[in-house]
Amino acid sequence: MTNASSSRVRRLVVVLAALAASMAFIVSAAAARELFFEETAEAFWAVPHQCADGSTVQGTLLVSSTRDFNAPDTDDPDPTARVQFLAVCPGGFSFSWGAPTAPATITSAENLKSVHTVGGGTARDNLGGTHTVTFDVTWTGVGPIETTVNVPGSKRKERAATATGQVTFDGAVLVDGPNNHPTRPAPFIRVDTEK
């Protein structure tokens, strides 16, 4: 074998070794990808709101609980709930407030059977005020679980639910009972996972 041939063989071996090493790195990186988990339960209530002109309109109250984490964790260390309200009065004047990340304790059953969320926090309104909000809501899954595969490694499981609970705003009870909004989506429990 000539020196030129031997040199080409050595270069080919080096290139193949580098290719094999990079493939091993890609495979091990793919195997080490973490699983992302997010659970959401959501429900709407109709809440009467008295406007500045003395009229009463139907406001909309949302409670949405969220817990999420990346594997190898198995639970969210800081679960939250989003609680928000909107009422539109005559003349287009609106009153709204929201607590987008209120601390919560969230207890869930497997297979989207139930979620219980309790907690509270500070809500800010569109007029610059702050308010104390508390919530204690339970979702109960009903019907079958619907599974959707978005892309390989990304999946959603969702189940229709009923929701009942109590929400207070500055100590006054806004709702105390089942969700009752006539035009908003029905309550649900949903889990999204992604690799």
Side-chain angles (χ1 to χ4, degrees), residues 14-64:
V14 169
V15 168
L16 289 175
L19 182 60
S22 67
M23 291 299 291
F25 175 76
I26 291 170
V27 169
S28 68
R33 285 180 78 182
E34 295 182 343
L35 174 70
F36 174 73
F37 173 94
E38 180 179 58
E39 175 191 77
T40 304
E42 191 170 285
F44 289 92
W45 283 261
V47 179
H49 173 74
Q50 186 169 3
C51 298
D53 67 359
S55 63
T56 300
V57 297
Q58 176 181 281
T60 299
L61 175 71
L62 165 68
V63 179
S64 178

Side-chain angles (χ1 to χ4, degrees), residues 38-121:
E38 180 179 58
E39 175 191 77
T40 304
E42 191 170 285
F44 289 92
W45 283 261
V47 179
H49 173 74
Q50 186 169 3
C51 298
D53 67 359
S55 63
T56 300
V57 297
Q58 176 181 281
T60 299
L61 175 71
L62 165 68
V63 179
S64 178
S65 73
T66 302
R67 58 186 197 99
D68 56 52
F69 56 87
N70 287 307
D73 293 340
T74 58
D75 206 355
D76 185 342
D78 300 306
T80 61
R82 177 173 56 138
V83 186
Q84 64 186 49
F85 176 81
L86 171 65
V88 180
C89 293
F93 174 77
S94 66
F95 176 71
S96 63
W97 54 262
T101 55
T105 299
I106 301 174
T107 307
S108 306
E110 291 183 10
N111 296 321
L112 311 180
K113 290 179 183 170
S114 67
V115 173
H116 178 233
T117 302
V118 61

